[in-house]
Amino acid sequence: MIVVLLKEAVSLLFLMAGLFLWFWGSWPLLEVRPLLDRLHKLTVSDSLGSLLMLLGLLLRRPDWWPLYGLAMLGLMLWNTIFGYVVARGVHQSRLLNAKARELGDAS
Protein backbone atom coordinates (compact mmCIF):
# COMPACT_ATOMS: atom_id res chain seq x y z
CA MET A 1 0.00 0.00 0.00
CA ILE A 2 2.77 2.43 0.91
CA VAL A 3 4.70 1.54 -2.25
CA VAL A 4 1.65 2.33 -4.39
CA LEU A 5 1.13 5.68 -2.65
CA LEU A 6 4.82 6.52 -3.01
CA LYS A 7 4.74 5.65 -6.71
CA GLU A 8 1.65 7.82 -7.21
CA ALA A 9 3.27 10.71 -5.34
CA VAL A 10 6.46 10.51 -7.41
CA SER A 11 4.41 10.24 -10.60
CA LEU A 12 2.40 13.31 -9.65
CA LEU A 13 5.61 15.17 -8.78
CA PHE A 14 7.04 14.41 -12.25
CA LEU A 15 3.81 15.52 -13.92
CA MET A 16 3.72 18.79 -11.98
CA ALA A 17 7.42 19.48 -12.61
CA GLY A 18 6.87 18.92 -16.33
CA LEU A 19 3.91 21.27 -16.39
CA PHE A 20 5.93 23.86 -14.47
CA LEU A 21 8.73 23.63 -17.05
CA TRP A 22 6.23 24.09 -19.88
CA PHE A 23 4.99 27.36 -18.40
CA TRP A 24 8.46 28.46 -17.32
CA GLY A 25 9.76 28.06 -20.88
CA SER A 26 6.78 29.76 -22.48
CA TRP A 27 6.97 32.87 -20.32
CA PRO A 28 10.21 34.25 -21.92
CA LEU A 29 8.40 34.45 -25.27
CA LEU A 30 6.71 37.57 -23.91
CA GLU A 31 10.02 39.22 -23.01
CA VAL A 32 11.94 41.59 -25.23
CA ARG A 33 15.08 39.58 -25.92
CA PRO A 34 16.77 38.17 -29.01
CA LEU A 35 14.66 35.58 -30.79
CA LEU A 36 17.19 32.78 -30.52
CA ASP A 37 17.50 33.24 -26.74
CA ARG A 38 13.74 32.98 -26.35
CA LEU A 39 13.49 29.95 -28.63
CA HIS A 40 16.35 28.21 -26.84
CA LYS A 41 14.65 28.57 -23.46
CA LEU A 42 11.38 27.40 -24.94
CA THR A 43 12.74 24.29 -26.63
CA VAL A 44 14.89 23.17 -23.70
CA SER A 45 12.20 23.61 -21.08
CA ASP A 46 9.55 22.11 -23.36
CA SER A 47 11.69 19.05 -24.02
CA LEU A 48 12.54 18.50 -20.37
CA GLY A 49 8.97 19.16 -19.28
CA SER A 50 7.56 16.70 -21.80
CA LEU A 51 10.12 14.05 -20.84
CA LEU A 52 9.26 14.47 -17.15
CA MET A 53 5.57 14.13 -17.93
CA LEU A 54 6.17 10.98 -19.93
CA LEU A 55 8.26 9.61 -17.08
CA GLY A 56 5.43 10.39 -14.66
CA LEU A 57 2.97 8.56 -16.92
CA LEU A 58 5.39 5.65 -17.21
CA LEU A 59 5.34 5.26 -13.44
CA ARG A 60 1.55 5.05 -13.54
CA ARG A 61 1.40 2.57 -16.44
CA PRO A 62 4.66 0.58 -16.56
CA ASP A 63 3.13 -1.96 -18.95
CA TRP A 64 3.12 0.72 -21.67
CA TRP A 65 6.90 1.23 -21.52
CA PRO A 66 7.50 0.55 -25.25
CA LEU A 67 5.07 3.30 -26.23
CA TYR A 68 6.46 5.78 -23.72
CA GLY A 69 10.04 4.89 -24.65
CA LEU A 70 9.33 5.47 -28.32
CA ALA A 71 7.63 8.78 -27.50
CA MET A 72 10.63 9.88 -25.41
CA LEU A 73 13.10 8.95 -28.14
CA GLY A 74 11.06 10.72 -30.80
CA LEU A 75 10.69 13.78 -28.61
CA MET A 76 14.43 14.03 -27.98
CA LEU A 77 15.31 13.61 -31.66
CA TRP A 78 12.57 15.88 -32.98
CA ASN A 79 13.28 18.77 -30.59
CA THR A 80 17.02 18.61 -31.28
CA ILE A 81 16.55 18.63 -35.05
CA PHE A 82 13.84 21.31 -34.87
CA GLY A 83 16.05 23.60 -32.78
CA TYR A 84 18.89 23.20 -35.27
CA VAL A 85 16.62 23.93 -38.25
CA VAL A 86 15.19 27.08 -36.65
CA ALA A 87 18.64 28.36 -35.66
CA ARG A 88 19.99 27.66 -39.15
CA GLY A 89 17.06 29.46 -40.75
CA VAL A 90 17.51 32.53 -38.57
CA HIS A 91 21.24 32.56 -39.30
CA GLN A 92 20.66 32.34 -43.06
CA SER A 93 18.04 35.08 -42.85
CA ARG A 94 20.47 37.38 -41.06
CA LEU A 95 23.15 36.71 -43.67
CA LEU A 96 20.74 37.52 -46.50
CA ASN A 97 19.59 40.73 -44.79
CA ALA A 98 23.19 41.84 -44.25
CA LYS A 99 24.03 41.09 -47.89
CA ALA A 100 20.97 43.05 -49.08
CA ARG A 101 21.92 46.04 -46.93
CA GLU A 102 25.48 45.86 -48.24
CA LEU A 103 24.30 45.83 -51.85
CA GLY A 104 21.85 48.65 -51.17
CA ASP A 105 24.57 50.86 -49.70
CA ALA A 106 26.98 50.18 -52.58
CA SER A 107 24.66 51.49 -55.31
Side-chain angles (χ1 to χ4, degrees):
M1 182 69 172
I2 296 212
V3 173
V4 172
L5 287 175
L6 184 61
K7 193 163 77 167
E8 286 290 320
V10 171
S11 172
L12 190 59
L13 184 68
F14 281 152
L15 290 169
M16 290 185 335
L19 189 62
F20 172 75
L21 283 173
W22 271 7
F23 285 115
W24 183 69
S26 298
W27 187 256
L29 290 177
L30 302 174
E31 296 175 357
V32 180
R33 302 185 90 171
L35 176 67
L36 289 179
D37 288 347
R38 293 182 287 166
L39 285 177
H40 176 70
K41 285 182 182 178
L42 175 68
T43 56
V44 169
S45 64
D46 183 48
S47 298
L48 290 176
S50 298
L51 287 173
L52 282 174
M53 287 184 180
L54 284 170
L55 193 60
L57 291 173
L58 181 63
L59 287 174
R60 289 176 182 246
R61 296 294 303 262
D63 53 322
W64 287 12
W65 72 265
L67 181 64
Y68 290 132
L70 187 61
M72 287 179 191
L73 180 66
L75 183 70
M76 288 186 295
L77 290 175
W78 169 251
N79 280 346
T80 302
I81 292 169
F82 179 70
Y84 173 77
V85 167
V86 168
R88 182 76 175 171
V90 169
H91 180 69
Q92 289 294 339
S93 172
R94 286 182 179 171
L95 288 177
L96 289 175
N97 286 341
K99 187 74 143 177
R101 277 194 300 262
E102 186 178 296
L103 291 175
D105 291 341
S107 52

